[in-house]
Amino acid sequence: MPKDAALAGLTVLERGWLSSNNVLLHGHDGEAAVLVDSGHVAHAALTVALVGQALGALGGAALGGVVNTHLHSDHCGGNAALQRAFGCRITIPPGLWQAALDWDTQALGYAPAGHDCERFTPDAKLAPGEHIEIGGRRWQALAAPGHDPHSLILFDAHHGVVISADALWENGFGVVFPELDGEAGFEDVACALDLIGSLDARWAIPGHGAPFGDVAGALQRARRRLDGFVTSPEKHHRHAAKVMIKYRLLEVQRSSWPELLGWLGTASLVQGIWQRLGRPCVSLDGFAEQMVGELAATGALRMDAGQIYNA
Ligand SMILES: [Zn+2]
């Protein structure tokens, strides 16, 4: 983690792509810490261990709460395990409150995406405009739709730090999920990037990847990427299909073709992408083969003896 006074009082557990980063906001003088985002269910035990270690390094601080920027399975999959381990409260953006209470996996997006997530029960909402105060810092929640219609980012104006979730990474941003359902999302992405630009943040802590200080450079790259998607939405959709397949392989590590095609049969979102692209390759299976082939060509997957491996 970079050494900078603006980042003091924060522990960033940088995780990878299957699990989002976990950002521990330290408390002051016995105040309990708060964790932003909890990773994927497949890594839940590791998340509990890493958070336990980080709390230990703070002299045995308690974990008072988990706040989710959004409810994608790589950001809230550790909620239930953390709640069991630390008895913490779970705070979520208001948009999917009822869906989370009812564990409506269709509305939450887990069923259409074919994603796993352990059920948890939220305790509180954090709405755009509201604040969390902890460790002498004040984090304002701001709406950053685009990647996810309900996503929040958190901004500490005094220290110039933004927790940018999947709205802005050092190189790009998350798949624009509404576009895969035929809803407009690119304009929201542009607005979210403008919002982040208007904050004049000195540091961004993204949902995936290391914290970075060149926020202006990241915004420039993100806008260029977005322009490419707006000009040719099919570029975005093909990218999204590959992201979904890679994510699946990250979850299961290896898969036979029948297993992968069986999963595709349940992931209506990928089928929707194929439909939206005008059914390239005639069959969904052929499309999957093409996407896997492209992923293998870039080294993101490996194929061997009828098996597909995460690489
Ligand atoms: Zn996400």
Side-chain angles (χ1 to χ4, degrees):
M1 175 137 158
K3 287 251 180 286
D4 187 293
L7 299 174
L10 310 175
T11 304
V12 180
L13 303 171
E14 190 189 334
R15 301 298 296 275
W17 292 103
L18 182 59
S19 272
S20 69
N21 291 338
N22 318 126
V23 187
L24 192 68
L25 313 177
H26 306 178
H28 261 171
D29 304 326
E31 188 186 14
V34 168
L35 189 74
V36 179
D37 288 336
S38 65
H40 189 277
V41 63
H43 297 158
L46 179 59
T47 303
V48 168
L50 289 170
V51 170
Q53 246 169 42
L55 293 169
L58 298 178
L63 184 68
V66 171
V67 175
N68 296 121
T69 56
H70 61 303
L71 298 187
H72 283 163
S73 58
D74 54 334
H75 287 254
C76 68
N79 282 10
L82 287 165
Q83 198 162 41
R84 275 195 299 275
F86 300 104
C88 53
R89 283 164 62 79
I90 308 283
T91 299
I92 65 170
L96 289 171
W97 174 258
Q98 196 57 44
L101 280 182
D102 300 341
W103 206 249
D104 177 347
T105 58
Q106 196 64 34
L108 290 165
Y110 308 141
H115 287 172
D116 292 332
C117 191
E118 186 179 355
R119 182 174 187 161
F120 65 90
T121 304
D123 298 292
K125 298 174 201 170
L126 178 66
E130 293 180 343
H131 295 86
I132 326 171
E133 295 212 26
I134 174 153
R137 284 173 176 257
R138 189 175 157 91
W139 296 89
Q140 188 178 29
L142 301 168
H147 162 69
D148 176 274
H150 309 291
S151 185
L152 299 175
I153 56 174
L154 300 172
F155 180 51
D156 169 0
H158 184 72
H159 295 88
V161 181
V162 62
I163 295 176
S164 58
D166 293 344
L168 179 69
W169 298 334
E170 191 164 15
N171 285 298
F173 47 82
V175 163
V176 187
F177 281 95
E179 290 280 343
L180 305 180
D181 279 330
E183 287 163 30
F186 294 146
E187 267 178 47
D188 282 341
V189 173
C191 289
L193 296 177
D194 287 347
L195 169 69
I196 294 171
S198 75
L199 302 176
D200 228 357
R202 290 166 51 207
W203 284 98
I205 303 174
H208 303 268
F212 55 91
D214 182 12
V215 180
L219 285 167
Q220 213 173 44
R221 288 187 290 278
R223 287 195 178 103
R224 247 196 326 261
R225 190 170 178 77
L226 178 63
D227 285 348
F229 289 159
V230 170
T231 310
S232 30
E234 67 279 4
K235 219 164 102 180
H236 170 261
H237 301 345
R238 293 179 78 86
H239 162 70
K242 283 185 267 189
V243 167
M244 302 280 299
I245 291 171
K246 168 70 179 173
Y247 191 85
R248 175 65 183 167
L249 266 297
L250 278 165
E251 279 186 332
V252 297
Q253 290 299 314
R254 87 184 233 178
S255 175
S256 66
W257 272 107
E259 279 163 353
L260 187 71
L261 297 177
W263 168 77
L264 266 183
T266 66
S268 60
L269 201 63
V270 185
Q271 295 162 31
I273 296 171
W274 172 66
Q275 296 274 10
R276 209 163 294 287
L277 285 167
R279 299 183 173 222
C281 311
V282 185
S283 74
L284 181 61
D285 294 7
F287 177 60
E289 269 177 53
Q290 192 181 74
M291 295 297 99
V292 168
E294 287 181 20
L295 284 163
T298 63
L301 297 180
R302 194 165 55 77
M303 287 188 284
D304 188 22
Q307 295 281 321
I308 306 150
Y309 295 87
N310 183 44

